[in-house]
Amino acid sequence: MLKDRVKWNERYQIEKHPQAPSGIVKKYAKLSGGKKALDIAAGNGRNSLFLADLGFVVDAIDISDTGLSLFSGKHPNIHPICADLDYFDIPARHYDLIVNIKFLNRRLFPCIKAGLTPGGVLIFQTFLNMSDPDQNSSDHADYYLRSNELLHSFRSLNILLYHEAEVKTDDETTGLASLVAVKDR
């Protein structure tokens, strides 16, 4: 845990991170009829701040106290939680909206499903392994989804959107898997 916290604290001190909310969060957050949200791996708070401005009360969890300090106190509806997601348990039937952007911890999949209230919305977007499936990708196994893994992991929810694509930025091409789903009432 300490090693991960140190790594992410250094990254938030040195690297630039996006300030605008994720496009998928902007587009689909309003599907939630409730007002209690969880932002998993909240980072610098870009999605938490957006959700709080929409009227959500947001639990923003991240391992980096430096990342959390970038937005802590900027909105009264945000509750920063500094915790290691390898050990954090999401309370059952507690959140109307759960957002997970560019973070992967498969241990959380059942906790995320259980953490949604009936009718709760999940917005999940993270990195996808776009390499040759025969290629040894054990280096990336913990950080990258396999093709359709996200879809199959949340198939017990009502899937509104599922998409896998290569995304090109100025300096790289990466794969992203995107999912929006609703828990049955």
Side-chain angles (χ1 to χ4, degrees):
M1 176 178 159
L2 182 60
K3 184 174 109 178
D4 287 340
R5 179 168 287 145
V6 168
K7 175 183 94 170
W8 282 103
N9 281 346
E10 287 175 0
R11 288 182 77 174
Y12 282 110
Q13 290 170 349
I14 296 169
E15 298 175 13
K16 285 190 168 200
H17 295 272
Q19 299 299 308
S22 172
I24 194 170
V25 173
K26 284 176 64 174
K27 187 170 183 177
Y28 292 101
K30 292 179 183 174
L31 288 176
S32 174
K35 290 299 176 187
K36 182 79 174 157
L38 174 64
D39 186 0
I40 296 173
N44 66 353
R46 65 190 182 123
N47 293 312
S48 294
L49 290 164
F50 174 77
L51 294 172
D53 285 342
L54 289 179
F56 286 94
V57 175
V58 183
D59 288 342
I61 184 167
D62 201 280
I63 196 167
S64 172
D65 50 347
T66 300
L68 292 170
S69 72
L70 296 173
F71 65 97
S72 185
K74 288 190 176 180
H75 201 292
N77 284 355
I78 298 176
H79 304 117
I81 301 168
C82 189
D84 186 338
L85 285 158
D86 286 337
Y87 305 100
F88 183 79
D89 288 322
I90 298 169
R93 300 174 66 115
H94 192 73
Y95 295 103
D96 305 306
L97 174 65
I98 296 179
V99 172
N100 186 117
I101 304 298
K102 295 188 176 175
F103 176 76
L104 180 61
N105 185 328
R106 290 171 179 90
R107 182 196 73 82
L108 292 175
F109 287 3
C111 301
I112 289 170
K113 289 185 269 190
L116 287 168
T117 59
V121 175
L122 171 62
I123 301 172
F124 201 127
Q125 184 177 65
T126 199
F127 300 108
L128 178 67
N129 186 351
M130 300 295 281
S131 66
D132 180 350
D134 296 329
Q135 180 183 2
N136 179 3
S137 59
S138 61
D139 301 358
H140 297 100
D142 289 342
Y143 306 107
Y144 292 84
L145 291 164
R146 295 177 301 277
S147 182
N148 289 315
E149 180 181 4
L150 191 61
L151 177 64
H152 292 296
S153 297
F154 290 97
R155 67 178 179 251
S156 64
L157 303 178
N158 294 315
I159 307 297
L160 303 179
L161 167 83
Y162 186 74
H163 186 254
E164 292 183 358
E166 283 188 2
V167 178
K168 296 178 193 276
T169 61
D170 292 338
D171 54 350
E172 68 180 357
T173 300
T174 189
L176 282 179
S178 305
L179 176 130
V180 177
V182 177
K183 186 172 185 173
D184 281 332
R185 292 196 178 269

